Amino acid sequence: MGSSSSNEATGLRRPASLRAQNPEVYYSDDAIVTADDATIAELKRIAAGNPRLRSRLCTHPDPSSGLHEMLIVHHCEAYVRPHKHFGKPESFHLIEGTAQVVIFEDDGRIRDVLEMAPYGRGALCYYRMPEQVFHSILISSEWLVFHETTAGPFDPSRTAFPDWAPDGGDAAEAQDYVTRTGALATEHLAHRHISRAIPAEIPTDD
Protein backbone atom coordinates (compact mmCIF):
# COMPACT_ATOMS: atom_id res chain seq x y z
CA MET A 1 0.00 0.00 0.00
CA GLY A 2 2.68 2.48 -1.02
CA SER A 3 2.36 5.95 -2.56
CA SER A 4 1.51 6.55 -6.20
CA SER A 5 2.40 9.38 -8.54
CA SER A 6 -1.27 9.78 -9.47
CA ASN A 7 -2.17 10.38 -5.84
CA GLU A 8 0.59 12.96 -5.50
CA ALA A 9 -0.42 14.66 -8.74
CA THR A 10 -4.02 15.06 -7.61
CA GLY A 11 -3.14 16.10 -4.08
CA LEU A 12 -4.74 13.00 -2.50
CA ARG A 13 -3.32 11.65 0.74
CA ARG A 14 -1.38 8.48 0.02
CA PRO A 15 -2.45 5.25 1.79
CA ALA A 16 -0.61 4.22 4.94
CA SER A 17 2.40 1.98 4.42
CA LEU A 18 2.15 -1.48 6.00
CA ARG A 19 5.23 -3.42 7.12
CA ALA A 20 4.71 -6.96 8.37
CA GLN A 21 5.99 -7.87 11.85
CA ASN A 22 4.33 -11.27 11.43
CA PRO A 23 1.32 -12.50 9.39
CA GLU A 24 -1.12 -10.78 11.77
CA VAL A 25 0.77 -7.71 12.99
CA TYR A 26 1.81 -4.75 10.84
CA TYR A 27 3.61 -1.48 11.51
CA SER A 28 3.89 1.71 9.47
CA ASP A 29 7.09 3.58 8.66
CA ASP A 30 5.17 6.80 8.02
CA ALA A 31 6.14 9.79 10.16
CA ILE A 32 2.44 10.51 10.69
CA VAL A 33 0.47 7.26 10.69
CA THR A 34 -2.98 7.55 9.15
CA ALA A 35 -5.76 5.13 8.29
CA ASP A 36 -8.68 5.35 5.89
CA ASP A 37 -11.15 3.07 4.10
CA ALA A 38 -8.37 1.58 1.98
CA THR A 39 -6.29 0.80 5.08
CA ILE A 40 -9.16 -1.02 6.76
CA ALA A 41 -9.98 -2.88 3.55
CA GLU A 42 -6.36 -4.08 3.36
CA LEU A 43 -6.43 -5.18 7.01
CA LYS A 44 -9.61 -7.14 6.30
CA ARG A 45 -7.93 -8.81 3.32
CA ILE A 46 -4.97 -9.76 5.51
CA ALA A 47 -7.23 -11.04 8.30
CA ALA A 48 -9.25 -13.18 5.88
CA GLY A 49 -6.05 -14.97 4.87
CA ASN A 50 -4.86 -15.68 8.42
CA PRO A 51 -5.78 -18.85 10.36
CA ARG A 52 -6.96 -16.78 13.34
CA LEU A 53 -8.92 -14.38 11.07
CA ARG A 54 -7.48 -11.18 12.52
CA SER A 55 -4.94 -8.46 11.78
CA ARG A 56 -3.74 -5.22 13.31
CA LEU A 57 -1.89 -2.06 12.36
CA CYS A 58 0.31 -0.88 15.23
CA THR A 59 0.61 2.89 15.04
CA HIS A 60 3.31 3.06 17.73
CA PRO A 61 6.90 2.81 16.44
CA ASP A 62 7.87 -0.62 17.78
CA PRO A 63 7.05 -3.24 20.48
CA SER A 64 9.24 -1.44 23.05
CA SER A 65 7.12 1.73 22.91
CA GLY A 66 5.63 2.90 26.20
CA LEU A 67 2.22 3.54 24.63
CA HIS A 68 0.66 1.03 22.25
CA GLU A 69 -2.07 2.15 19.85
CA MET A 70 -3.53 -0.34 17.40
CA LEU A 71 -6.15 -0.47 14.67
CA ILE A 72 -7.48 -4.04 14.97
CA VAL A 73 -9.66 -6.08 12.61
CA HIS A 74 -11.43 -9.35 13.52
CA HIS A 75 -13.66 -11.51 11.35
CA CYS A 76 -16.84 -12.77 13.02
CA GLU A 77 -15.38 -16.30 13.22
CA ALA A 78 -12.28 -15.13 15.09
CA TYR A 79 -12.07 -16.58 18.60
CA VAL A 80 -11.07 -14.06 21.27
CA ARG A 81 -9.91 -16.15 24.20
CA PRO A 82 -10.85 -14.68 27.60
CA HIS A 83 -7.84 -12.95 29.11
CA LYS A 84 -6.71 -10.32 31.59
CA HIS A 85 -3.72 -8.02 31.80
CA PHE A 86 -1.31 -7.16 34.59
CA GLY A 87 -0.11 -3.60 35.04
CA LYS A 88 -1.78 -2.28 31.92
CA PRO A 89 -5.38 -1.14 31.46
CA GLU A 90 -6.72 -0.90 27.91
CA SER A 91 -9.16 1.32 26.07
CA PHE A 92 -11.38 0.17 23.21
CA HIS A 93 -13.09 2.44 20.68
CA LEU A 94 -15.37 0.68 18.19
CA ILE A 95 -15.18 1.88 14.60
CA GLU A 96 -17.16 -0.73 12.62
CA GLY A 97 -19.38 -3.68 13.49
CA THR A 98 -21.22 -4.88 16.59
CA ALA A 99 -20.17 -7.09 19.48
CA GLN A 100 -20.70 -8.04 23.08
CA VAL A 101 -17.73 -7.60 25.40
CA VAL A 102 -18.15 -10.17 28.15
CA ILE A 103 -16.65 -9.45 31.59
CA PHE A 104 -15.94 -12.52 33.71
CA GLU A 105 -15.38 -13.30 37.34
CA ASP A 106 -12.14 -15.15 38.01
CA ASP A 107 -14.04 -18.46 38.09
CA GLY A 108 -15.58 -17.93 34.64
CA ARG A 109 -19.03 -16.72 35.66
CA ILE A 110 -20.29 -13.72 33.71
CA ARG A 111 -20.06 -10.47 35.68
CA ASP A 112 -21.30 -8.10 32.99
CA VAL A 113 -21.94 -7.77 29.25
CA LEU A 114 -21.21 -4.59 27.30
CA GLU A 115 -23.24 -4.17 24.12
CA MET A 116 -20.96 -2.41 21.64
CA ALA A 117 -21.68 -0.54 18.40
CA PRO A 118 -20.28 2.54 16.65
CA TYR A 119 -21.29 5.98 17.90
CA GLY A 120 -24.87 6.90 17.03
CA ARG A 121 -26.30 3.38 17.29
CA GLY A 122 -27.59 3.70 20.85
CA ALA A 123 -25.05 1.28 22.34
CA LEU A 124 -21.63 1.65 23.94
CA CYS A 125 -18.90 2.72 21.54
CA TYR A 126 -16.03 2.95 24.07
CA TYR A 127 -14.72 1.38 27.24
CA ARG A 128 -11.64 1.54 29.42
CA MET A 129 -10.84 -1.82 30.99
CA PRO A 130 -8.85 -1.85 34.24
CA GLU A 131 -6.10 -4.39 34.70
CA GLN A 132 -6.73 -7.91 36.06
CA VAL A 133 -10.27 -8.25 34.69
CA PHE A 134 -11.02 -11.27 32.50
CA HIS A 135 -12.80 -10.26 29.30
CA SER A 136 -13.58 -11.52 25.81
CA ILE A 137 -15.39 -10.38 22.65
CA LEU A 138 -18.37 -12.07 20.98
CA ILE A 139 -18.62 -10.63 17.46
CA SER A 140 -22.09 -10.28 15.93
CA SER A 141 -21.22 -8.62 12.60
CA GLU A 142 -19.15 -9.91 9.68
CA TRP A 143 -16.23 -7.67 10.65
CA LEU A 144 -15.24 -5.87 13.83
CA VAL A 145 -12.87 -2.91 13.56
CA PHE A 146 -11.68 -1.10 16.67
CA HIS A 147 -8.95 1.16 18.02
CA GLU A 148 -7.21 -0.17 21.13
CA THR A 149 -4.76 1.61 23.39
CA THR A 150 -2.70 0.05 26.17
CA ALA A 151 0.62 0.39 27.97
CA GLY A 152 3.84 -1.00 26.57
CA PRO A 153 6.35 -2.39 26.11
CA PHE A 154 4.97 -5.63 24.73
CA ASP A 155 5.45 -8.49 27.20
CA PRO A 156 3.37 -11.65 26.79
CA SER A 157 3.83 -12.49 30.49
CA ARG A 158 1.59 -9.50 31.33
CA THR A 159 -1.43 -11.30 29.83
CA ALA A 160 -3.03 -14.30 31.54
CA PHE A 161 -5.53 -16.84 30.19
CA PRO A 162 -7.91 -18.88 32.37
CA ASP A 163 -8.10 -22.67 32.45
CA TRP A 164 -11.92 -22.54 32.10
CA ALA A 165 -11.81 -21.38 28.46
CA PRO A 166 -10.27 -23.25 25.50
CA ASP A 167 -6.99 -22.05 24.01
CA GLY A 168 -8.38 -22.03 20.47
CA GLY A 169 -6.28 -24.92 19.21
CA ASP A 170 -9.43 -26.97 18.60
CA ALA A 171 -11.77 -24.92 16.41
CA ALA A 172 -14.85 -26.99 17.26
CA GLU A 173 -14.17 -26.71 21.00
CA ALA A 174 -13.69 -22.94 20.71
CA GLN A 175 -16.90 -22.55 18.71
CA ASP A 176 -18.84 -24.58 21.26
CA TYR A 177 -17.49 -22.34 24.03
CA VAL A 178 -18.44 -19.19 22.09
CA THR A 179 -21.96 -20.54 21.50
CA ARG A 180 -22.45 -21.40 25.17
CA THR A 181 -21.01 -18.08 26.33
CA GLY A 182 -23.25 -16.23 23.88
CA ALA A 183 -26.33 -17.95 25.31
CA LEU A 184 -25.26 -17.07 28.85
CA ALA A 185 -24.58 -13.46 27.80
CA THR A 186 -28.08 -13.25 26.31
CA GLU A 187 -29.57 -14.58 29.55
CA HIS A 188 -27.54 -12.07 31.54
CA LEU A 189 -28.77 -9.16 29.42
CA ALA A 190 -32.38 -10.36 29.58
CA HIS A 191 -32.22 -10.62 33.37
CA ARG A 192 -30.67 -7.16 33.58
CA HIS A 193 -33.36 -5.63 31.38
CA ILE A 194 -36.12 -7.29 33.44
CA SER A 195 -34.55 -6.08 36.69
CA ARG A 196 -34.44 -2.52 35.39
CA ALA A 197 -38.05 -2.70 34.19
CA ILE A 198 -39.45 -3.81 37.56
CA PRO A 199 -40.07 -0.74 39.74
CA ALA A 200 -38.64 -0.78 43.20
CA GLU A 201 -41.16 -1.61 45.92
CA ILE A 202 -42.37 1.50 47.71
CA PRO A 203 -42.25 1.05 51.49
CA THR A 204 -45.43 1.69 53.43
CA ASP A 205 -46.23 2.38 57.04
CA ASP A 206 -48.10 -0.93 57.40
mmCIF file of all heavy atoms in Angstrom, residues 147-181:
data_model
loop_
_atom_site.group_PDB
_atom_site.id
_atom_site.type_symbol
_atom_site.label_atom_id
_atom_site.label_comp_id
_atom_site.label_asym_id
_atom_site.label_seq_id
_atom_site.Cartn_x
_atom_site.Cartn_y
_atom_site.Cartn_z
ATOM 1 N N HIS A 147 -10.215 0.527 17.637
ATOM 2 C CA HIS A 147 -8.955 1.155 18.022
ATOM 3 C C HIS A 147 -8.704 0.809 19.480
ATOM 4 O O HIS A 147 -9.558 1.053 20.332
ATOM 5 C CB HIS A 147 -9.069 2.669 17.827
ATOM 6 C CG HIS A 147 -7.901 3.430 18.348
ATOM 7 N ND1 HIS A 147 -8.036 4.591 19.082
ATOM 8 C CD2 HIS A 147 -6.575 3.210 18.258
ATOM 9 C CE1 HIS A 147 -6.844 5.049 19.417
ATOM 10 N NE2 HIS A 147 -5.941 4.239 18.932
ATOM 11 N N GLU A 148 -7.552 0.238 19.760
ATOM 12 C CA GLU A 148 -7.214 -0.172 21.126
ATOM 13 C C GLU A 148 -5.930 0.525 21.562
ATOM 14 O O GLU A 148 -4.983 0.653 20.784
ATOM 15 C CB GLU A 148 -7.030 -1.686 21.191
ATOM 16 C CG GLU A 148 -6.742 -2.212 22.594
ATOM 17 C CD GLU A 148 -6.676 -3.728 22.626
ATOM 18 O OE1 GLU A 148 -7.732 -4.374 22.440
ATOM 19 O OE2 GLU A 148 -5.566 -4.271 22.804
ATOM 20 N N THR A 149 -5.929 0.963 22.804
ATOM 21 C CA THR A 149 -4.755 1.613 23.392
ATOM 22 C C THR A 149 -4.412 0.930 24.703
ATOM 23 O O THR A 149 -5.304 0.623 25.505
ATOM 24 C CB THR A 149 -5.024 3.107 23.659
ATOM 25 O OG1 THR A 149 -5.401 3.742 22.438
ATOM 26 C CG2 THR A 149 -3.803 3.796 24.219
ATOM 27 N N THR A 150 -3.131 0.660 24.916
ATOM 28 C CA THR A 150 -2.698 0.053 26.171
ATOM 29 C C THR A 150 -1.253 0.449 26.442
ATOM 30 O O THR A 150 -0.609 1.108 25.621
ATOM 31 C CB THR A 150 -2.853 -1.480 26.127
ATOM 32 O OG1 THR A 150 -2.676 -2.018 27.438
ATOM 33 C CG2 THR A 150 -1.847 -2.122 25.180
ATOM 34 N N ALA A 151 -0.748 0.048 27.588
ATOM 35 C CA ALA A 151 0.617 0.389 27.971
ATOM 36 C C ALA A 151 1.595 -0.626 27.396
ATOM 37 O O ALA A 151 1.312 -1.815 27.315
ATOM 38 C CB ALA A 151 0.742 0.443 29.492
ATOM 39 N N GLY A 152 2.749 -0.150 26.997
ATOM 40 C CA GLY A 152 3.837 -1.001 26.566
ATOM 41 C C GLY A 152 4.919 -1.022 27.640
ATOM 42 O O GLY A 152 4.738 -0.455 28.714
ATOM 43 N N PRO A 153 6.047 -1.654 27.337
ATOM 44 C CA PRO A 153 6.350 -2.389 26.113
ATOM 45 C C PRO A 153 5.632 -3.726 26.057
ATOM 46 O O PRO A 153 5.090 -4.190 27.058
ATOM 47 C CB PRO A 153 7.863 -2.580 26.200
ATOM 48 C CG PRO A 153 8.147 -2.595 27.677
ATOM 49 C CD PRO A 153 7.181 -1.623 28.285
ATOM 50 N N PHE A 154 5.625 -4.352 24.887
ATOM 51 C CA PHE A 154 4.965 -5.630 24.731
ATOM 52 C C PHE A 154 5.693 -6.693 25.547
ATOM 53 O O PHE A 154 6.904 -6.861 25.451
ATOM 54 C CB PHE A 154 4.936 -6.045 23.262
ATOM 55 C CG PHE A 154 4.372 -7.425 23.045
ATOM 56 C CD1 PHE A 154 3.030 -7.675 23.238
ATOM 57 C CD2 PHE A 154 5.200 -8.471 22.656
ATOM 58 C CE1 PHE A 154 2.501 -8.946 23.055
ATOM 59 C CE2 PHE A 154 4.687 -9.743 22.462
ATOM 60 C CZ PHE A 154 3.338 -9.978 22.664
ATOM 61 N N ASP A 155 4.911 -7.411 26.368
ATOM 62 C CA ASP A 155 5.454 -8.487 27.199
ATOM 63 C C ASP A 155 4.350 -9.517 27.378
ATOM 64 O O ASP A 155 3.386 -9.275 28.106
ATOM 65 C CB ASP A 155 5.901 -7.938 28.557
ATOM 66 C CG ASP A 155 6.463 -9.009 29.479
ATOM 67 O OD1 ASP A 155 6.439 -10.196 29.100
ATOM 68 O OD2 ASP A 155 6.907 -8.649 30.589
ATOM 69 N N PRO A 156 4.455 -10.671 26.709
ATOM 70 C CA PRO A 156 3.367 -11.654 26.794
ATOM 71 C C PRO A 156 3.088 -12.152 28.205
ATOM 72 O O PRO A 156 1.983 -12.617 28.490
ATOM 73 C CB PRO A 156 3.846 -12.797 25.885
ATOM 74 C CG PRO A 156 5.250 -12.513 25.544
ATOM 75 C CD PRO A 156 5.526 -11.075 25.811
ATOM 76 N N SER A 157 4.057 -12.029 29.118
ATOM 77 C CA SER A 157 3.832 -12.486 30.489
ATOM 78 C C SER A 157 2.857 -11.587 31.235
ATOM 79 O O SER A 157 2.385 -11.942 32.320
ATOM 80 C CB SER A 157 5.163 -12.574 31.250
ATOM 81 O OG SER A 157 5.693 -11.277 31.487
ATOM 82 N N ARG A 158 2.525 -10.415 30.677
ATOM 83 C CA ARG A 158 1.586 -9.498 31.330
ATOM 84 C C ARG A 158 0.134 -9.797 30.946
ATOM 85 O O ARG A 158 -0.770 -9.073 31.351
ATOM 86 C CB ARG A 158 1.938 -8.056 30.967
ATOM 87 C CG ARG A 158 3.305 -7.623 31.474
ATOM 88 C CD ARG A 158 3.707 -6.261 30.937
ATOM 89 N NE ARG A 158 2.972 -5.178 31.574
ATOM 90 C CZ ARG A 158 3.115 -3.906 31.234
ATOM 91 N NH1 ARG A 158 3.944 -3.552 30.263
ATOM 92 N NH2 ARG A 158 2.409 -2.960 31.857
ATOM 93 N N THR A 159 -0.081 -10.856 30.188
ATOM 94 C CA THR A 159 -1.430 -11.300 29.827
ATOM 95 C C THR A 159 -1.623 -12.723 30.318
ATOM 96 O O THR A 159 -0.763 -13.579 30.097
ATOM 97 C CB THR A 159 -1.653 -11.240 28.305
ATOM 98 O OG1 THR A 159 -1.489 -9.892 27.862
ATOM 99 C CG2 THR A 159 -3.043 -11.728 27.934
ATOM 100 N N ALA A 160 -2.748 -12.975 31.003
ATOM 101 C CA ALA A 160 -3.034 -14.305 31.543
ATOM 102 C C ALA A 160 -4.328 -14.838 30.943
ATOM 103 O O ALA A 160 -5.274 -14.084 30.697
ATOM 104 C CB ALA A 160 -3.149 -14.229 33.063
ATOM 105 N N PHE A 161 -4.355 -16.156 30.732
ATOM 106 C CA PHE A 161 -5.527 -16.835 30.191
ATOM 107 C C PHE A 161 -6.031 -17.841 31.222
ATOM 108 O O PHE A 161 -5.240 -18.497 31.894
ATOM 109 C CB PHE A 161 -5.174 -17.560 28.899
ATOM 110 C CG PHE A 161 -4.651 -16.654 27.821
ATOM 111 C CD1 PHE A 161 -3.274 -16.492 27.649
ATOM 112 C CD2 PHE A 161 -5.507 -15.956 26.987
ATOM 113 C CE1 PHE A 161 -2.775 -15.655 26.659
ATOM 114 C CE2 PHE A 161 -5.021 -15.121 25.992
ATOM 115 C CZ PHE A 161 -3.652 -14.964 25.830
ATOM 116 N N PRO A 162 -7.362 -17.973 31.352
ATOM 117 C CA PRO A 162 -7.907 -18.883 32.374
ATOM 118 C C PRO A 162 -7.943 -20.322 31.880
ATOM 119 O O PRO A 162 -7.950 -20.586 30.673
ATOM 120 C CB PRO A 162 -9.328 -18.344 32.562
ATOM 121 C CG PRO A 162 -9.695 -17.838 31.203
ATOM 122 C CD PRO A 162 -8.438 -17.250 30.632
ATOM 123 N N ASP A 163 -8.010 -21.259 32.834
ATOM 124 C CA ASP A 163 -8.099 -22.669 32.448
ATOM 125 C C ASP A 163 -9.534 -23.096 32.150
ATOM 126 O O ASP A 163 -9.769 -24.212 31.709
ATOM 127 C CB ASP A 163 -7.494 -23.572 33.530
ATOM 128 C CG ASP A 163 -8.141 -23.378 34.899
ATOM 129 O OD1 ASP A 163 -9.186 -22.687 34.978
ATOM 130 O OD2 ASP A 163 -7.608 -23.909 35.885
ATOM 131 N N TRP A 164 -10.526 -22.182 32.350
ATOM 132 C CA TRP A 164 -11.922 -22.538 32.101
ATOM 133 C C TRP A 164 -12.379 -22.184 30.681
ATOM 134 O O TRP A 164 -13.548 -22.349 30.335
ATOM 135 C CB TRP A 164 -12.857 -21.900 33.127
ATOM 136 C CG TRP A 164 -12.547 -20.500 33.554
ATOM 137 C CD1 TRP A 164 -11.926 -20.114 34.708
ATOM 138 C CD2 TRP A 164 -12.843 -19.281 32.846
ATOM 139 N NE1 TRP A 164 -11.816 -18.733 34.759
ATOM 140 C CE2 TRP A 164 -12.384 -18.198 33.639
ATOM 141 C CE3 TRP A 164 -13.466 -18.999 31.628
ATOM 142 C CZ2 TRP A 164 -12.504 -16.866 33.251
ATOM 143 C CZ3 TRP A 164 -13.595 -17.675 31.228
ATOM 144 C CH2 TRP A 164 -13.118 -16.626 32.025
ATOM 145 N N ALA A 165 -11.472 -21.691 29.847
ATOM 146 C CA ALA A 165 -11.811 -21.384 28.459
ATOM 147 C C ALA A 165 -10.790 -22.052 27.541
ATOM 148 O O ALA A 165 -9.598 -22.105 27.876
ATOM 149 C CB ALA A 165 -11.830 -19.879 28.213
ATOM 150 N N PRO A 166 -11.210 -22.567 26.402
ATOM 151 C CA PRO A 166 -10.268 -23.255 25.504
ATOM 152 C C PRO A 166 -9.226 -22.304 24.940
ATOM 153 O O PRO A 166 -9.448 -21.091 24.847
ATOM 154 C CB PRO A 166 -11.175 -23.817 24.404
ATOM 155 C CG PRO A 166 -12.413 -22.990 24.440
ATOM 156 C CD PRO A 166 -12.589 -22.590 25.870
ATOM 157 N N ASP A 167 -8.079 -22.884 24.533
ATOM 158 C CA ASP A 167 -6.992 -22.053 24.009
ATOM 159 C C ASP A 167 -7.149 -21.731 22.529
ATOM 160 O O ASP A 167 -6.366 -20.950 21.981
ATOM 161 C CB ASP A 167 -5.642 -22.713 24.270
ATOM 162 C CG ASP A 167 -5.497 -24.067 23.568
ATOM 163 O OD1 ASP A 167 -6.353 -24.430 22.726
ATOM 164 O OD2 ASP A 167 -4.507 -24.774 23.859
ATOM 165 N N GLY A 168 -8.146 -22.314 21.878
ATOM 166 C CA GLY A 168 -8.379 -22.032 20.473
ATOM 167 C C GLY A 168 -7.716 -23.006 19.522
ATOM 168 O O GLY A 168 -7.910 -22.914 18.302
ATOM 169 N N GLY A 169 -6.940 -23.950 20.071
ATOM 170 C CA GLY A 169 -6.283 -24.923 19.211
ATOM 171 C C GLY A 169 -7.251 -25.857 18.517
ATOM 172 O O GLY A 169 -6.979 -26.352 17.416
ATOM 173 N N ASP A 170 -8.368 -26.141 19.166
ATOM 174 C CA ASP A 170 -9.435 -26.973 18.598
ATOM 175 C C ASP A 170 -10.574 -26.050 18.203
ATOM 176 O O ASP A 170 -11.270 -25.505 19.062
ATOM 177 C CB ASP A 170 -9.881 -28.001 19.636
ATOM 178 C CG ASP A 170 -10.916 -28.980 19.103
ATOM 179 O OD1 ASP A 170 -11.784 -28.564 18.305
ATOM 180 O OD2 ASP A 170 -10.871 -30.157 19.491
ATOM 181 N N ALA A 171 -10.776 -25.883 16.894
ATOM 182 C CA ALA A 171 -11.769 -24.925 16.409
ATOM 183 C C ALA A 171 -13.178 -25.280 16.860
ATOM 184 O O ALA A 171 -13.962 -24.395 17.222
ATOM 185 C CB ALA A 171 -11.711 -24.834 14.884
ATOM 186 N N ALA A 172 -13.511 -26.573 16.860
ATOM 187 C CA ALA A 172 -14.849 -26.990 17.263
ATOM 188 C C ALA A 172 -15.073 -26.715 18.747
ATOM 189 O O ALA A 172 -16.153 -26.270 19.156
ATOM 190 C CB ALA A 172 -15.053 -28.472 16.962
ATOM 191 N N GLU A 173 -14.060 -26.970 19.565
ATOM 192 C CA GLU A 173 -14.168 -26.706 21.001
ATOM 193 C C GLU A 173 -14.339 -25.212 21.261
ATOM 194 O O GLU A 173 -15.164 -24.793 22.087
ATOM 195 C CB GLU A 173 -12.915 -27.210 21.710
ATOM 196 C CG GLU A 173 -12.926 -26.998 23.223
ATOM 197 C CD GLU A 173 -11.619 -27.389 23.880
ATOM 198 O OE1 GLU A 173 -10.567 -27.286 23.218
ATOM 199 O OE2 GLU A 173 -11.642 -27.772 25.061
ATOM 200 N N ALA A 174 -13.578 -24.389 20.533
ATOM 201 C CA ALA A 174 -13.688 -22.944 20.707
ATOM 202 C C ALA A 174 -15.064 -22.452 20.284
ATOM 203 O O ALA A 174 -15.672 -21.616 20.967
ATOM 204 C CB ALA A 174 -12.601 -22.241 19.903
ATOM 205 N N GLN A 175 -15.586 -22.979 19.173
ATOM 206 C CA GLN A 175 -16.902 -22.553 18.707
ATOM 207 C C GLN A 175 -17.990 -22.947 19.685
ATOM 208 O O GLN A 175 -18.929 -22.188 19.931
ATOM 209 C CB GLN A 175 -17.192 -23.141 17.326
ATOM 210 C CG GLN A 175 -18.525 -22.698 16.727
ATOM 211 C CD GLN A 175 -18.653 -21.189 16.645
ATOM 212 O OE1 GLN A 175 -17.795 -20.514 16.089
ATOM 213 N NE2 GLN A 175 -19.722 -20.643 17.210
ATOM 214 N N ASP A 176 -17.859 -24.138 20.260
ATOM 215 C CA ASP A 176 -18.842 -24.581 21.259
ATOM 216 C C ASP A 176 -18.805 -23.656 22.477
ATOM 217 O O ASP A 176 -19.860 -23.281 23.010
ATOM 218 C CB ASP A 176 -18.539 -26.019 21.678
ATOM 219 C CG ASP A 176 -19.488 -26.524 22.747
ATOM 220 O OD1 ASP A 176 -20.693 -26.670 22.452
ATOM 221 O OD2 ASP A 176 -19.037 -26.769 23.881
ATOM 222 N N TYR A 177 -17.602 -23.250 22.891
ATOM 223 C CA TYR A 177 -17.488 -22.340 24.032
ATOM 224 C C TYR A 177 -18.116 -20.990 23.705
ATOM 225 O O TYR A 177 -18.832 -20.412 24.530
ATOM 226 C CB TYR A 177 -16.019 -22.165 24.419
ATOM 227 C CG TYR A 177 -15.828 -21.140 25.510
ATOM 228 C CD1 TYR A 177 -16.108 -21.455 26.836
ATOM 229 C CD2 TYR A 177 -15.403 -19.850 25.212
ATOM 230 C CE1 TYR A 177 -15.968 -20.511 27.844
ATOM 231 C CE2 TYR A 177 -15.256 -18.901 26.204
ATOM 232 C CZ TYR A 177 -15.539 -19.239 27.515
ATOM 233 O OH TYR A 177 -15.405 -18.288 28.500
ATOM 234 N N VAL A 178 -17.867 -20.474 22.499
ATOM 235 C CA VAL A 178 -18.441 -19.189 22.088
ATOM 236 C C VAL A 178 -19.963 -19.269 22.067
ATOM 237 O O VAL A 178 -20.660 -18.351 22.534
ATOM 238 C CB VAL A 178 -17.905 -18.774 20.703
ATOM 239 C CG1 VAL A 178 -18.704 -17.606 20.133
ATOM 240 C CG2 VAL A 178 -16.427 -18.403 20.803
ATOM 241 N N THR A 179 -20.499 -20.377 21.563
ATOM 242 C CA THR A 179 -21.960 -20.542 21.502
ATOM 243 C C THR A 179 -22.554 -20.562 22.904
ATOM 244 O O THR A 179 -23.568 -19.893 23.183
ATOM 245 C CB THR A 179 -22.322 -21.837 20.762
ATOM 246 O OG1 THR A 179 -21.808 -21.757 19.422
ATOM 247 C CG2 THR A 179 -23.832 -22.030 20.705
ATOM 248 N N ARG A 180 -21.941 -21.325 23.810
ATOM 249 C CA ARG A 180 -22.449 -21.404 25.174
ATOM 250 C C ARG A 180 -22.320 -20.064 25.897
ATOM 251 O O ARG A 180 -23.235 -19.642 26.615
ATOM 252 C CB ARG A 180 -21.694 -22.491 25.951
ATOM 253 C CG ARG A 180 -22.064 -23.905 25.530
ATOM 254 C CD ARG A 180 -21.414 -24.963 26.407
ATOM 255 N NE ARG A 180 -19.990 -25.098 26.168
ATOM 256 C CZ ARG A 180 -19.045 -24.696 26.988
ATOM 257 N NH1 ARG A 180 -19.364 -24.104 28.146
ATOM 258 N NH2 ARG A 180 -17.763 -24.862 26.696
ATOM 259 N N THR A 181 -21.205 -19.378 25.691
ATOM 260 C CA THR A 181 -21.012 -18.080 26.325
ATOM 261 C C THR A 181 -22.007 -17.060 25.782
ATOM 262 O O THR A 181 -22.545 -16.225 26.527
ATOM 263 C CB THR A 181 -19.569 -17.586 26.110
ATOM 264 O OG1 THR A 181 -18.658 -18.561 26.628
ATOM 265 C CG2 THR A 181 -19.335 -16.257 26.810
#
